[in-house]
Coordinates of all heavy atoms in Angstrom, one line a residue:
S1113 N -13.2 6.4 6.0 CA -14.4 5.6 5.8 C -15.5 6.4 5.0 O -15.9 7.5 5.5 CB -15.0 5.2 7.1 OG -16.2 4.5 6.9
S1114 N -16.0 5.8 3.9 CA -17.1 6.5 3.2 C -18.4 6.4 4.0 O -19.3 7.2 3.8 CB -17.3 5.8 1.8 OG -17.5 4.4 2.0
T1115 N -18.4 5.5 5.0 CA -19.7 5.3 5.7 C -19.9 6.4 6.7 O -21.1 6.7 7.0 CB -19.6 3.9 6.4 OG1 -19.4 2.9 5.5 CG2 -20.9 3.6 7.2
Y1116 N -18.8 7.0 7.2 CA -19.0 7.9 8.3 C -18.7 9.4 8.0 O -18.8 10.2 8.8 CB -18.3 7.4 9.6 CG -18.8 6.1 10.0 CD1 -18.0 5.0 10.0 CD2 -20.1 6.0 10.5 CE1 -18.5 3.7 10.3 CE2 -20.6 4.7 10.9 CZ -19.8 3.6 10.8 OH -20.3 2.4 11.1
E1117 N -18.2 9.6 6.8 CA -17.9 11.0 6.4 C -19.1 11.5 5.6 O -19.8 10.8 5.0 CB -16.7 11.0 5.5 CG -15.4 10.7 6.2 CD -14.8 11.8 7.0 OE1 -14.9 13.0 6.6 OE2 -14.2 11.5 8.1
L1118 N -19.2 12.8 5.5 CA -20.1 13.5 4.6 C -19.2 13.9 3.4 O -18.2 14.5 3.6 CB -20.8 14.7 5.2 CG -21.9 14.4 6.2 CD1 -22.4 15.6 6.9 CD2 -23.0 13.6 5.6
P1119 N -19.7 13.5 2.2 CA -18.8 13.7 1.0 C -18.4 15.2 0.8 O -17.3 15.5 0.4 CB -19.6 13.2 -0.2 CG -21.0 13.0 0.3 CD -20.9 12.9 1.8
Y1120 N -19.3 16.1 1.1 CA -18.9 17.5 0.8 C -17.7 18.0 1.7 O -16.8 18.6 1.2 CB -20.1 18.4 1.1 CG -20.0 19.8 0.6 CD1 -19.9 20.1 -0.8 CD2 -19.9 20.9 1.5 CE1 -19.8 21.4 -1.2 CE2 -19.8 22.2 1.0 CZ -19.7 22.5 -0.3 OH -19.6 23.7 -0.8
A1121 N -17.8 17.8 3.0 CA -16.7 18.2 3.9 C -15.4 17.3 3.6 O -14.3 17.8 3.6 CB -17.1 18.0 5.3
F1122 N -15.7 16.0 3.3 CA -14.5 15.2 3.1 C -13.8 15.6 1.8 O -12.5 15.6 1.8 CB -15.0 13.7 3.0 CG -13.9 12.8 2.5 CD1 -12.9 12.5 3.4 CD2 -13.9 12.3 1.2 CE1 -11.8 11.7 3.0 CE2 -12.8 11.5 0.8 CZ -11.8 11.1 1.7
A1123 N -14.5 15.9 0.8 CA -13.9 16.4 -0.5 C -12.9 17.6 -0.2 O -11.8 17.6 -0.7 CB -14.9 16.7 -1.5
R1124 N -13.4 18.5 0.6 CA -12.6 19.6 0.9 C -11.3 19.2 1.7 O -10.2 19.7 1.5 CB -13.4 20.7 1.7 CG -12.5 21.9 1.9 CD -13.3 23.0 2.6 NE -13.5 22.7 4.0 CZ -13.6 23.6 5.0 NH1 -13.5 24.9 4.7 NH2 -13.8 23.2 6.2
K1125 N -11.5 18.3 2.7 CA -10.3 17.9 3.4 C -9.2 17.3 2.5 O -8.0 17.6 2.6 CB -10.7 16.8 4.4 CG -11.1 17.2 5.8 CD -11.3 16.0 6.7 CE -12.6 16.1 7.4 NZ -12.9 15.0 8.3
M1126 N -9.7 16.5 1.6 CA -8.7 15.8 0.7 C -8.1 16.8 -0.3 O -6.9 16.8 -0.6 CB -9.3 14.7 -0.1 CG -9.7 13.5 0.8 SD -8.4 13.0 1.9 CE -7.6 11.8 0.9
T1127 N -8.9 17.8 -0.8 CA -8.3 18.8 -1.6 C -7.3 19.6 -0.9 O -6.2 20.0 -1.4 CB -9.4 19.6 -2.3 OG1 -10.3 18.8 -3.0 CG2 -8.8 20.7 -3.3
T1128 N -7.6 19.9 0.4 CA -6.7 20.7 1.2 C -5.3 19.9 1.3 O -4.2 20.5 1.1 CB -7.2 20.9 2.6 OG1 -8.5 21.5 2.5 CG2 -6.3 21.8 3.4
L1129 N -5.4 18.6 1.5 CA -4.2 17.8 1.5 C -3.5 17.7 0.2 O -2.3 17.7 0.1 CB -4.4 16.5 2.1 CG -4.6 16.5 3.7 CD1 -5.1 15.1 4.2 CD2 -3.3 16.8 4.3
D1130 N -4.3 17.7 -0.9 CA -3.7 17.8 -2.3 C -2.9 19.1 -2.4 O -1.8 19.1 -2.9 CB -4.9 17.7 -3.3 CG -4.5 17.6 -4.7 OD1 -3.2 17.5 -5.0 OD2 -5.4 17.4 -5.6
H1131 N -3.5 20.2 -1.9 CA -2.7 21.5 -2.0 C -1.5 21.4 -1.1 O -0.4 21.7 -1.6 CB -3.6 22.6 -1.4 CG -4.8 23.0 -2.2 ND1 -4.8 23.0 -3.6 CD2 -6.1 23.3 -1.8 CE1 -6.0 23.4 -4.0 NE2 -6.8 23.5 -2.9
L1132 N -1.7 21.0 0.1 CA -0.5 21.1 1.1 C 0.6 20.1 0.9 O 1.7 20.3 1.3 CB -1.1 21.0 2.5 CG -2.1 22.1 3.0 CD1 -2.5 21.8 4.4 CD2 -1.5 23.5 2.8
T1133 N 0.2 19.0 0.2 CA 1.3 18.0 -0.1 C 1.8 18.1 -1.5 O 2.6 17.4 -2.0 CB 0.7 16.5 0.0 OG1 -0.3 16.3 -1.0 CG2 0.2 16.2 1.4
A1134 N 1.2 19.1 -2.3 CA 1.6 19.3 -3.7 C 1.4 18.0 -4.5 O 2.3 17.5 -5.2 CB 3.0 19.8 -3.9
G1135 N 0.2 17.4 -4.3 CA -0.2 16.3 -5.2 C 0.3 14.9 -4.7 O 0.5 14.0 -5.5
R1136 N 0.5 14.8 -3.4 CA 1.0 13.5 -2.9 C 0.0 12.8 -2.0 O 0.4 12.0 -1.1 CB 2.4 13.8 -2.1 CG 3.5 14.3 -3.1 CD 4.8 14.3 -2.4 NE 5.0 15.5 -1.6 CZ 5.6 15.5 -0.4 NH1 6.2 14.5 0.1 NH2 5.8 16.7 0.2
I1137 N -1.2 13.0 -2.2 CA -2.2 12.4 -1.3 C -3.0 11.3 -2.0 O -3.4 11.4 -3.2 CB -3.2 13.5 -0.7 CG1 -4.0 13.0 0.4 CG2 -4.0 14.2 -1.8 CD1 -3.2 12.7 1.7
G1138 N -3.2 10.3 -1.3 CA -4.1 9.2 -1.7 C -5.1 8.8 -0.7 O -4.9 9.1 0.5
W1139 N -6.2 8.3 -1.1 CA -7.3 7.9 -0.2 C -7.6 6.4 -0.3 O -7.9 5.9 -1.4 CB -8.6 8.7 -0.6 CG -9.8 8.3 0.1 CD1 -9.9 7.7 1.4 CD2 -11.2 8.4 -0.4 NE1 -11.3 7.5 1.7 CE2 -12.0 7.9 0.6 CE3 -11.7 8.8 -1.6 CZ2 -13.4 7.8 0.4 CZ3 -13.1 8.8 -1.8 CH2 -13.9 8.3 -0.8
N1140 N -7.4 5.7 0.8 CA -7.8 4.3 0.9 C -9.3 4.3 1.3 O -9.7 4.5 2.4 CB -7.0 3.6 1.9 CG -7.4 2.1 2.1 OD1 -7.9 1.5 1.1 ND2 -7.2 1.6 3.3
I1141 N -10.1 4.0 0.3 CA -11.6 4.0 0.5 C -12.0 2.7 1.2 O -11.8 1.6 0.7 CB -12.3 4.0 -0.9 CG1 -11.8 5.0 -1.8 CG2 -13.8 4.1 -0.7 CD1 -12.1 4.7 -3.3
V1142 N -12.5 2.9 2.4 CA -13.0 1.7 3.1 C -14.5 2.0 3.6 O -14.9 3.2 3.7 CB -12.2 1.3 4.4 CG1 -10.8 0.9 4.0 CG2 -12.2 2.4 5.5
T1143 N -15.2 1.0 3.8 CA -16.6 1.1 4.2 C -16.8 0.9 5.7 O -17.9 1.0 6.2 CB -17.5 0.2 3.4 OG1 -17.1 -1.2 3.7 CG2 -17.5 0.4 1.9
S1144 N -15.7 0.5 6.3 CA -15.6 0.2 7.8 C -16.3 -1.1 8.1 O -17.2 -1.6 7.4 CB -16.3 1.3 8.6 OG -15.5 2.5 8.5
A1145 N -15.9 -1.7 9.2 CA -16.4 -3.0 9.6 C -16.7 -3.2 11.1 O -17.0 -4.3 11.5 CB -15.4 -4.1 9.1
L1146 N -16.5 -2.1 11.8 CA -16.7 -2.3 13.3 C -18.0 -1.8 13.7 O -18.4 -0.6 13.5 CB -15.6 -1.5 14.1 CG -14.1 -1.9 13.9 CD1 -13.2 -0.9 14.6 CD2 -14.0 -3.3 14.5
D1147 N -18.7 -2.6 14.4 CA -20.0 -2.2 15.0 C -19.8 -1.2 16.1 O -20.6 -0.3 16.2 CB -20.6 -3.5 15.6 CG -22.1 -3.5 15.4 OD1 -22.6 -3.1 14.3 OD2 -22.9 -3.8 16.4
S1148 N -18.7 -1.2 16.8 CA -18.4 -0.2 17.8 C -18.3 1.2 17.2 O -18.7 2.1 17.8 CB -17.1 -0.6 18.6 OG -16.0 -0.4 17.7
A1149 N -17.8 1.3 16.0 CA -17.8 2.6 15.3 C -19.2 3.1 15.1 O -19.5 4.2 15.4 CB -17.0 2.5 14.0
A1150 N -20.0 2.2 14.5 CA -21.4 2.6 14.2 C -22.1 3.1 15.5 O -22.8 4.1 15.5 CB -22.1 1.4 13.6
R1151 N -22.0 2.3 16.6 CA -22.7 2.7 17.8 C -22.2 4.0 18.4 O -23.0 4.8 18.9 CB -22.5 1.6 18.9 CG -23.2 0.3 18.6 CD -23.3 -0.6 19.8 NE -22.0 -0.8 20.4 CZ -21.1 -1.8 20.0 NH1 -21.5 -2.7 19.1 NH2 -20.0 -2.0 20.6
N1152 N -20.9 4.3 18.2 CA -20.4 5.6 18.7 C -20.6 6.8 17.8 O -20.3 7.9 18.1 CB -19.0 5.5 19.1 CG -18.8 4.6 20.4 OD1 -19.3 5.0 21.4 ND2 -18.1 3.5 20.3
L1153 N -21.0 6.5 16.5 CA -21.2 7.5 15.6 C -22.7 7.7 15.2 O -23.0 8.1 14.1 CB -20.3 7.2 14.3 CG -18.8 7.4 14.6 CD1 -18.0 6.7 13.5 CD2 -18.4 8.8 14.7
G1154 N -23.5 7.3 16.1 CA -24.9 7.7 16.0 C -25.9 6.7 15.4 O -27.0 6.9 15.2
L1155 N -25.4 5.5 15.2 CA -26.3 4.4 14.7 C -26.5 3.4 15.8 O -25.7 3.3 16.7 CB -25.6 3.7 13.5 CG -25.3 4.6 12.3 CD1 -24.6 3.7 11.2 CD2 -26.5 5.2 11.7
D1156 N -27.6 2.6 15.7 CA -27.8 1.6 16.7 C -26.9 0.4 16.4 O -26.3 -0.2 17.3 CB -29.3 1.0 16.6 CG -30.2 2.1 17.0 OD1 -29.8 2.9 17.9 OD2 -31.4 2.1 16.5
K1157 N -26.7 0.1 15.1 CA -25.7 -0.9 14.8 C -25.2 -0.6 13.3 O -25.8 0.3 12.7 CB -26.3 -2.3 14.9 CG -27.4 -2.7 13.9 CD -27.8 -4.1 14.2 CE -28.8 -4.7 13.2 NZ -28.3 -4.8 11.9
Q1158 N -24.2 -1.4 12.9 CA -23.6 -1.1 11.6 C -24.6 -1.3 10.5 O -25.5 -2.2 10.6 CB -22.5 -2.1 11.5 CG -21.5 -1.7 10.5 CD -20.3 -2.5 10.5 OE1 -19.2 -2.0 10.2 NE2 -20.3 -3.8 10.9
L1159 N -24.5 -0.5 9.4 CA -25.3 -0.8 8.2 C -24.8 -2.2 7.7 O -23.7 -2.6 7.9 CB -24.9 0.2 7.1 CG -25.2 1.7 7.4 CD1 -24.8 2.5 6.3 CD2 -26.7 1.9 7.7
A1160 N -25.7 -2.9 7.0 CA -25.3 -4.2 6.5 C -24.2 -4.1 5.4 O -24.1 -3.0 4.8 CB -26.6 -4.8 5.8
H1161 N -23.4 -5.1 5.3 CA -22.2 -5.1 4.5 C -22.4 -4.5 3.1 O -21.7 -3.6 2.7 CB -21.7 -6.6 4.4 CG -20.4 -6.7 3.7 ND1 -20.4 -6.9 2.3 CD2 -19.1 -6.8 4.1 CE1 -19.2 -7.1 1.9 NE2 -18.4 -7.0 3.0
D1162 N -23.4 -5.1 2.4 CA -23.5 -4.6 1.0 C -24.2 -3.2 0.9 O -23.9 -2.5 0.0 CB -24.3 -5.6 0.2 CG -23.6 -6.9 0.0 OD1 -22.5 -7.1 0.6 OD2 -24.1 -7.8 -0.7
D1163 N -24.9 -2.9 1.9 CA -25.5 -1.5 2.0 C -24.4 -0.5 2.2 O -24.5 0.7 1.6 CB -26.5 -1.4 3.1 CG -27.7 -2.2 2.9 OD1 -27.9 -2.7 1.8 OD2 -28.5 -2.4 3.9
R1164 N -23.4 -0.8 2.9 CA -22.3 0.1 3.1 C -21.6 0.4 1.7 O -21.2 1.5 1.4 CB -21.2 -0.4 4.1 CG -21.8 -0.7 5.4 CD -20.6 -0.8 6.5 NE -19.7 -1.9 6.2 CZ -19.7 -3.1 6.8 NH1 -20.7 -3.5 7.6 NH2 -18.8 -4.0 6.5
Y1165 N -21.5 -0.6 0.9 CA -20.9 -0.4 -0.4 C -21.8 0.4 -1.3 O -21.3 1.2 -2.1 CB -20.5 -1.8 -1.1 CG -19.2 -2.3 -0.7 CD1 -19.0 -3.4 0.1 CD2 -18.0 -1.6 -1.1 CE1 -17.7 -3.9 0.5 CE2 -16.7 -2.1 -0.7 CZ -16.6 -3.2 0.1 OH -15.4 -3.7 0.4
A1166 N -23.1 0.1 -1.2 CA -24.1 0.9 -2.0 C -24.0 2.4 -1.7 O -23.9 3.3 -2.6 CB -25.5 0.4 -1.8
R1167 N -23.8 2.7 -0.4 CA -23.7 4.1 0.0 C -22.3 4.6 -0.5 O -22.3 5.8 -1.0 CB -23.7 4.1 1.5 CG -24.0 5.3 2.2 CD -24.0 5.1 3.7 NE -24.1 6.4 4.3 CZ -25.3 7.0 4.6 NH1 -26.4 6.3 4.4 NH2 -25.3 8.2 5.2
A1168 N -21.3 3.8 -0.5 CA -20.0 4.2 -0.9 C -20.0 4.6 -2.4 O -19.4 5.5 -2.9 CB -18.9 3.1 -0.7
E1169 N -20.8 3.8 -3.2 CA -21.0 4.1 -4.6 C -21.5 5.5 -4.9 O -20.9 6.2 -5.7 CB -21.9 3.0 -5.2 CG -21.8 2.8 -6.7 CD -20.5 2.4 -7.2 OE1 -19.9 1.5 -6.6 OE2 -20.1 3.0 -8.2
E1170 N -22.5 5.9 -4.1 CA -23.0 7.2 -4.3 C -22.1 8.3 -3.7 O -21.9 9.4 -4.3 CB -24.4 7.4 -3.6 CG -25.0 8.7 -4.1 CD -26.4 9.0 -3.4 OE1 -27.1 8.0 -3.0 OE2 -26.7 10.2 -3.2
F1171 N -21.4 7.9 -2.7 CA -20.4 8.8 -2.1 C -19.3 9.2 -3.2 O -18.9 10.3 -3.4 CB -19.7 8.1 -0.9 CG -18.8 9.0 -0.1 CD1 -19.2 9.4 1.2 CD2 -17.5 9.3 -0.5 CE1 -18.4 10.2 2.0 CE2 -16.7 10.1 0.3 CZ -17.2 10.5 1.6
M1172 N -18.9 8.2 -4.0 CA -17.9 8.4 -5.0 C -18.4 9.3 -6.1 O -17.7 10.2 -6.5 CB -17.5 7.1 -5.7 CG -16.9 6.0 -4.7 SD -15.5 6.7 -3.7 CE -14.3 7.1 -4.9
E1173 N -19.7 9.1 -6.4 CA -20.3 10.0 -7.4 C -20.2 11.5 -7.0 O -19.9 12.4 -7.7 CB -21.8 9.6 -7.7 CG -22.4 10.2 -8.9 CD -23.9 9.8 -9.0 OE1 -24.2 8.7 -8.6 OE2 -24.7 10.7 -9.4
V1174 N -20.6 11.7 -5.7 CA -20.6 13.1 -5.2 C -19.2 13.7 -5.2 O -18.9 14.8 -5.7 CB -21.2 13.2 -3.8 CG1 -21.1 14.6 -3.3 CG2 -22.6 12.6 -3.7
V1175 N -18.2 12.9 -4.7 CA -16.9 13.5 -4.6 C -16.2 13.7 -6.0 O -15.5 14.6 -6.2 CB -15.9 12.7 -3.6 CG1 -16.4 12.9 -2.2 CG2 -15.8 11.3 -4.0
Y1176 N -16.5 12.8 -6.9 CA -16.0 13.0 -8.3 C -16.6 14.3 -8.9 O -15.9 15.0 -9.5 CB -16.5 11.8 -9.2 CG -15.8 10.5 -8.9 CD1 -16.4 9.3 -9.3 CD2 -14.5 10.4 -8.3 CE1 -15.8 8.1 -9.1 CE2 -13.9 9.2 -8.1 CZ -14.5 8.0 -8.5 OH -14.0 6.8 -8.2
K1177 N -17.9 14.5 -8.6 CA -18.5 15.8 -9.2 C -17.8 17.0 -8.5 O -17.5 18.0 -9.2 CB -20.0 15.8 -8.8 CG -20.8 14.8 -9.7 CD -22.3 14.9 -9.2 CE -23.1 13.9 -10.1 NZ -24.5 13.7 -9.5

Side-chain angles (χ1 to χ4, degrees):
S1113 173
S1114 54
T1115 302
Y1116 299 112
E1117 292 282 324
L1118 286 174
Y1120 190 68
F1122 173 71
R1124 185 177 72 150
K1125 270 189 229 178
M1126 293 311 271
T1127 302
T1128 306
L1129 282 170
D1130 188 357
H1131 294 319
L1132 298 180
T1133 63
R1136 293 188 279 145
I1137 191 70
W1139 170 30
N1140 177 32
I1141 311 159
V1142 298
T1143 59
S1144 294
L1146 293 173
D1147 219 41
S1148 65
R1151 289 193 306 271
N1152 287 301
L1153 290 163
L1155 303 176
D1156 293 332
K1157 67 181 189 60
Q1158 198 168 212
L1159 302 176
H1161 182 272
D1162 291 6
D1163 292 346
R1164 301 198 299 265
Y1165 274 112
R1167 203 179 170 89
E1169 198 60 46
E1170 190 183 332
F1171 191 103
M1172 299 312 294
E1173 191 184 327
V1174 179
V1175 291
Y1176 291 157
K1177 287 175 178 170

